[in-house]
Amino acid sequence: MAVLKVFDPFVICLLCLILSASNFCNGGITSSFVRKEYSPDMPLDSDVFQVPPGYNAPQQVHITQGDADGRGVIISWITPDEPGSNTVLYWSENSKHKNRADGTFVRYKFFNYTSGYIHHCTINKLEYNTKYFYEVGIGNTTRQFWLITPPRAGPDVPYTFGLIGDLGQTHDSNVTLTHYESNPKKGETVLFLGDLSYSNDYPYHDNVRWDTWGRFVERNAAYQPWIWTAGNHELDFAPELGETTPFKPYTHRYYVPYESSHSTSPLWYSIKRASAYIFVLSSYSAYE
Ligand SMILES: *[C@@H]1O[C@H](CO)[C@@H](O)[C@H](O)[C@H]1NC(C)=O
Ligand SMILES: *[C@@H]1O[C@H](CO)[C@@H](O)[C@H](O)[C@H]1NC(C)=O
Ligand SMILES: *[C@@H]1O[C@H](CO)[C@@H](O)[C@H](O)[C@H]1NC(C)=O
């Protein structure tokens, strides 16, 4: 749907894989939109990077599929000042009864950057095709979002995926996201083809740009799953900074349901969603 700035050989390769695997789909050509070649990063004080109000308010909220066939969801968010609560409250549109699920949080350091408290909570056994509301945070600073579960997976189940890769955080990245959101085909899930924040382009891989990116995409990624793949910009392999664990920021921030396909690594896994059987492979995994 929104396939942009596809200069990266990795992305092209992955796209070919996806396209060749989808002989039976016919989404047609949905747009002739082509992005310009260069656009500067949005400044730190941009509206899209605003920190939500309230002490320790959850930010960078995003969801992804949480199991093998679409009844599970992983909800992730970051609290900046203290751990706060790991709990997600959730209820279906047709019910007042609030369920709860408890997650965990992780943190990491990268050179002289220390992350906030990165929460991940998996909710299982949701009903198919149902709208749920969910709430994260505690006390005065709770935030509410919603999501819609997919239909039961099967061979002939209409569903609309968006494709976005190489997003970054330039002014054009914002146009790209707006373009996806306003597409009349109404994408229900994003297949993200790798290269998220481009924070590694900054001196010391300034991880603050991972946080701004998380706040930027929240407006979509909190409401529909983004299925993550790592690209070369997620490597963050920087021996000169003493950082020799590849994919450290990415794997702490973006949990994926790799265990549900009995994978041994978050860099490769598979899921079923509606009529698609999705295989995620990272061609940079040899660094592991
Ligand atoms: C990003 O796009 C949104 C929606 O079109 C707009 O409201 C916002 O002002 C834009 N921000 C920047 C920094 O371009
Ligand atoms: C990290 O180190 C760089 C280079 O010395 C410096 O410019 C930056 O302000 C430091 N950041 C933090 C969070 O200390
Ligand atoms: C919640 O907000 C109210 C009104 O702003 C304030 O009086 C109260 O102290 C806050 N409670 C907490 C736990 O922050």
Side-chain angles (χ1 to χ4, degrees):
M1 193 169 271
V3 184
L4 300 138
K5 201 180 157 200
V6 190
F7 303 135
D8 192 320
F10 161 73
V11 171
I12 290 173
C13 181
L14 193 77
L15 254 179
C16 295
L17 277 177
I18 288 175
L19 294 178
S20 61
S22 61
N23 283 340
F24 302 107
C25 305
N26 183 11
I29 295 170
T30 56
S31 166
S32 57
F33 179 78
V34 177
R35 187 158 99 176
K36 292 197 302 282
E37 284 209 12
Y38 176 77
S39 162
D41 274 1
M42 294 183 280
L44 289 174
D45 61 359
S46 299
D47 52 2
V48 292
F49 297 152
Q50 250 167 34
V51 173
Y55 172 71
N56 206 34
Q59 54 168 270
Q60 306 178 49
V61 179
H62 54 92
I63 62 174
T64 195
Q65 185 160 317
D67 67 351
D69 50 19
R71 288 181 67 193
V73 59
I74 301 173
I75 295 175
S76 304
W77 71 97
I78 296 184
T79 49
D81 308 306
E82 55 173 287
S85 168
N86 281 328
T87 301
V88 176
L89 295 179
Y90 64 98
W91 58 99
S92 82
E93 185 175 33
N94 314 313
S95 153
K96 290 277 166 288
H97 176 71
K98 291 192 178 179
N99 305 288
R100 59 178 286 168
D102 293 308
T104 55
F105 74 83
V106 291
R107 299 187 90 182
Y108 71 91
K109 286 182 191 293
F110 192 95
F111 187 52
N112 63 357
Y113 167 94
T114 304
S115 75
Y117 304 85
I118 308 171
H119 301 257
H120 302 285
C121 178
T122 304
I123 300 176
N124 281 307
K125 300 206 165 68
L126 297 171
E127 298 297 325
Y128 287 116
N129 247 333
T130 303
K131 181 168 184 176
Y132 285 89
F133 293 92
Y134 69 94
E135 185 178 296
V136 292
I138 191 168
N140 281 352
T141 41
T142 57
R143 296 183 66 207
Q144 243 184 55
F145 303 86
W146 51 263
L147 60 91
I148 298 172
T149 53
R152 182 188 294 275
D156 190 19
V157 181
Y159 199 72
T160 308
F161 291 94
L163 293 178
I164 302 179
D166 292 4
L167 187 58
Q169 45 194 297
T170 70
H171 288 277
D172 279 354
S173 313
N174 194 35
V175 173
T176 296
L177 188 55
T178 303
H179 185 77
Y180 172 62
E181 292 166 323
S182 55
N183 192 307
K185 296 262 178 190
K186 290 267 165 275
E188 295 166 283
T189 290
V190 168
L191 303 177
F192 194 88
L193 306 175
D195 293 350
L196 288 68
S197 73
Y198 285 71
S199 62
N200 69 313
D201 283 351
Y202 282 82
Y204 317 104
H205 295 221
D206 188 0
N207 274 226
V208 166
R209 283 284 175 172
W210 271 108
D211 291 313
T212 54
W213 196 82
R215 294 198 291 272
F216 160 49
V217 300
E218 181 191 271
R219 71 179 200 237
N220 189 268
Y223 298 94
Q224 61 173 262
W226 286 37
I227 309 302
W228 302 108
T229 314
N232 60 316
H233 287 271
E234 278 65 71
L235 272 170
D236 287 313
F237 179 73
E240 71 282 9
L241 303 177
E243 292 298 340
T244 53
T245 308
F247 304 104
K248 192 204 270 182
Y250 171 73
T251 52
H252 280 80
R253 289 168 184 270
Y254 294 92
Y255 272 25
V256 297
Y258 69 97
E259 283 153 326
S260 64
S261 53
H262 308 291
S263 165
T264 52
S265 162
L267 299 171
W268 55 85
Y269 61 98
S270 68
I271 54 168
K272 288 180 183 170
R273 193 166 186 89
S275 45
Y277 205 149
I278 300 159
F279 293 79
V280 171
L281 299 169
S282 155
S283 56
Y284 294 93
S285 309
Y287 277 84
E288 280 278 87

